[in-house]
Amino acid sequence: MSAVQQLTLHLPAWIDEVVDWQKVYQNDEEKMALAVELSRQNVLRGSGGPFGSAIFDCASGKLVSVGVNRVMPLHNSTAHGEMMAIMLAEQSVQSFSLSADGVKRELFTSCEPCAMCLGGTLWSGVKRLVCAATADDARAIGFDEGPVYDTSYDYLKNTGVEVVRQVLRDEAKAVLDAYLHSGGTIYNG
Ligand SMILES: [Zn+2]
């Protein structure tokens, strides 16, 4: 077998059935409702773990990208919902930074990020991070969030990232619980 030197990451085919790319989102609840719906559909359709994310242009309320967890289908431990949304947004704006063009963008995620995704959030250049379910909600069903500390969040805030937590938490937590009860694999518990 020759050495592998390239990979492709892709969202599931159903994304366009769920996402209205033209919609202008008015507030945090509307934006988070999309992230949570993506997490719910990912579980219902069996296309990955119970996590969804979306990145928006803060000023216009327009959607830039979405992501769902693709760890198991893509055989990729880094294919978390947040990372998928970040990578696709950066591809969309053709930059490794989601703020280099002076436009403020924000990441909505159905669950507080793991250690990798909190780092990914920092490097992405988004200026707001909005979370639904808590890290403890994820831990309660067996997921390991890794080394995430209060000081990790302080670091983000000190670099100018606004952090908002527990928007639509109950709705997002219900998806986590449904995933567990449906027998979903806890791949890094
Ligand atoms: Zn993650």
Side-chain angles (χ1 to χ4, degrees):
M1 186 173 156
S2 63
V4 176
Q5 299 185 40
Q6 187 172 351
L7 64 82
T8 301
L9 300 175
H10 55 90
L11 295 178
W14 55 259
I15 289 290
D16 279 341
E17 295 173 32
V18 173
V19 177
D20 177 357
W21 293 98
Q22 306 308 317
K23 177 173 175 174
V24 174
Y25 291 78
Q26 304 291 345
N27 54 49
D28 283 357
E29 284 71 25
E30 277 191 15
K31 294 169 183 171
M32 188 59 80
L34 174 61
V36 174
E37 180 61 14
L38 289 163
S39 74
R40 182 184 297 116
Q41 292 294 328
N42 210 34
V43 173
L44 289 173
R45 298 172 189 246
S47 46
F51 305 101
S53 294
I55 292 177
F56 300 87
D57 180 316
C58 294
S60 71
K62 287 185 177 169
L63 184 60
V64 180
S65 71
V66 301
V68 292
N69 179 285
R70 299 285 281 155
V71 167
M72 289 188 290
L74 298 182
H75 315 298
N76 190 316
S77 63
T78 72
H80 289 192
E82 299 96 322
M83 300 299 290
M84 294 295 292
I86 288 168
M87 288 189 280
L88 289 165
E90 291 173 352
Q91 178 163 270
S92 174
V93 304
Q94 287 288 290
S95 172
F96 61 83
S97 166
L98 295 175
S99 59
D101 57 4
V103 175
K104 272 181 68 175
R105 298 184 178 89
E106 55 192 349
L107 169 63
F108 280 68
T109 180
S110 67
C111 185
E112 288 172 4
C114 73
M116 171 180 67
C117 294
L118 201 60
T121 299
L122 175 62
W123 305 138
S124 74
V126 294
K127 293 301 180 188
R128 274 186 101 218
L129 169 65
V130 186
C131 313
T134 67
D136 280 343
D137 293 336
R139 293 188 190 103
I141 68 163
F143 282 105
D144 184 357
E145 293 273 80
V148 175
Y149 306 110
D150 289 343
T151 50
S152 313
Y153 278 94
D154 291 342
Y155 194 102
L156 256 72
K157 291 172 191 168
N158 288 338
T159 64
V161 179
E162 180 191 357
V163 177
V164 180
R165 292 158 113 157
Q166 299 191 34
V167 174
L168 301 187
R169 177 191 178 186
D170 291 346
E171 290 84 343
K173 185 178 186 305
V175 175
L176 297 177
D177 294 342
Y179 180 75
L180 180 68
H181 294 135
S182 71
T185 304
I186 308 298
Y187 48 79
N188 65 349

